[in-house]
Amino acid sequence: MDSERKGGRGANQLRPVDCSRNVLSRAHGSASCSHGETRVLAAVYGPKAGTKKNENPEKACIEITWKPKTGQIGKPEKEFEMILKRTLENICLLTVHPNTTTSIIVQVVHDDGSLLPCAIHAACAALLDAGIPLKYLAVAICCCLTESGNILLDPSKLEEQKMKAFVCLVFPSSIHSVLPEGSISIGGESKGDGIITSLTHGVMRVEDYFQCVEQGRAAITPLSNILKKKLQSQSASNLSKAG
Amino acid sequence: MAVTSGPNDLSSEMEVDAFRRLFPLRFHERHLLESLRPDGRPLGRARDTTLMLGAVASANGSAMAKIGSTTMLAAIKMEVMTPTAEAPDEGCIAIEFHMPPICSPLVRPGRPAEVAPVISKQLSDTILSSGMIDLKELCLVGGKAAWMAYLDIYCLDADGALFDAALLSAVAAFSHLQIPVVSLNDDGRIVIISEDNNGGAMKEKEPVNKEKIKLKLKSVPFSLTCVLHKKYILADPTSEEESIMETFLTVVLDSSFQLVSLNKPGGPGLTNSSAIQDCVTLTRQRVKELQKILNEAISDMEVD
């Protein structure tokens, strides 16, 4: 199986993930995230007073601007904006800052597959950097389904194009890594079971979809641990610099 | 419509309409407790659906779909184009979804609706990835000429489940589509033969396709949107339900119950696998219903 993927990756092996906060000086919060060659830059401005038209003023409003690497903003960008907005609405505590707007600008630096997961991680880290209250982090993963029914995680652009179907899933970061061992309640497990966002492309069997969900979920815990470690180590070094 | 009133509840002291406006979420939750929705439907039932083929006489294929009061008008216009170098033996389909200000108070003139391009993209993803239409069928002369199908869908009344109604109207328009007769003229270009003069002139010039043909549709996709609120699953939400309970999930299955798309774009609620499984089951039933409605509409058309 290993030889099937470029770079000698196993089917369940993710590309190296890197995430750094506070990369822009003027933004209230910013982050840069990379999955292998895919790289996304995110900046957060706000919360600013007032909400847009047709938004609920009793809650905070999130505004996303998706900038592609090249070219004009078209329908795919609008779709990404909508998905990212609704995904971040899930993880933010919207009632803490009612009647405000937080704008997030997402700039694609390079797209080599699994773009949406990378953008979600970058946006999350930028929100964290800006100090926007969050319920949990969103951890996203792309799964690809090959013609023979195998599932590959974190596909590159080339793999995405060759595949029969792919699924993009966003989970809340597993609470297992936050809570100390043994304190996981039954209520918590049902939360860990939840899916924030699901997107699919291509025809597949229903069972294959659930297989993807299982495989994706299994990969979430290590991925969220890596992301948290990256973000924590930076906040520690920032504090020591300030002190 | 009346809510069964309990003690210590404002609903017993207030008119139903006032309660509905002031506490929309509680108003709906009170209904959900009774496994009923404000419009009298059980939770898992979709609204009445009607389909009319051939709604636009000037188009090559058209249909009007109504799910409850959500109304979509879809029309296809065929044009001859030169195929791209990458796919010389394939035609092309361009799908556009429009939300004019007539459809909803949320859409203002001059400012296009935010959801319109998103639904447009989802529709073309669904229709092209489902494999319903073999693009090779749209080829006329390999490398020289192929059909370009412009599918435009207009939302006339936006009362929830827009994607479902749009997909239904699009599928129906494709099943009504008749590819016009074309022939090669002296310059070697493809011309569409109008119906008035297909007398002697046509016989000399060899028509490329002899008569109006219909596309062979395989594995037609149908969709169902469900609102997920707490433990309840509400099939085919109205716009009021969509705005109050914001987590929704759209499942698209084809006629052989393969999953074409499962789209849950965020929203405040988390969804577990069993809820998704329930939505898929509801969609299966709905696919059978919609298939029947489509077949009836087609046979009605043939009788006419």
Side-chain angles (χ1 to χ4, degrees), chain B residues 141-221:
Chain B
V141 182
K144 293 254 173 58
W147 286 113
M148 175 91 191
Y150 291 98
L151 167 61
D152 284 276
I153 302 162
Y154 285 89
C155 177
L156 303 180
D157 194 347
D159 189 24
L162 297 184
F163 178 81
D164 297 1
L167 184 64
L168 180 64
S169 70
V171 164
F174 272 115
S175 60
H176 175 250
L177 174 67
Q178 286 192 316
I179 298 179
V181 185
V182 292
S183 73
L184 273 171
N185 69 2
D186 301 336
D187 313 332
R189 290 177 62 182
I190 299 271
V191 286
I192 296 176
I193 296 175
S194 59
E195 282 177 32
D196 324 321
N197 59 1
N198 54 359
M202 195 186 96
K203 284 189 182 106
E204 311 158 13
K205 296 175 200 160
E206 180 66 23
V208 179
N209 48 354
K210 297 285 187 294
E211 56 194 17
K212 284 186 175 183
I213 51 166
K214 285 206 161 197
L215 283 176
K216 287 187 237 8
L217 301 185
K218 41 188 178 183
S219 62
V220 182

Side-chain angles (χ1 to χ4, degrees), chain A residues 80-120:
Chain A
F80 280 136
E81 282 179 5
M82 195 272 287
I83 292 164
L84 203 54
K85 174 175 188 256
R86 294 185 51 94
T87 304
L88 296 178
E89 275 172 354
N90 182 290
I91 66 164
C92 289
L93 285 163
L94 297 172
T95 40
V96 177
H97 303 296
N99 200 20
T100 60
T101 302
T102 304
S103 45
I104 301 160
I105 294 110
V106 175
Q107 172 70 55
V108 179
V109 181
H110 187 67
D111 176 14
D112 184 30
S114 310
L115 182 60
L116 189 64
C118 189
I120 286 172

Side-chain angles (χ1 to χ4, degrees), chain B residues 8-28:
Chain B
N8 303 325
D9 199 325
L10 278 168
S11 61
S12 52
E13 298 155 25
M14 214 186 268
E15 277 178 47
V16 175
D17 275 347
F19 186 66
R20 183 179 198 158
R21 285 192 147 239
L22 289 171
F23 306 103
L25 186 60
R26 276 173 61 196
F27 174 79
H28 277 84

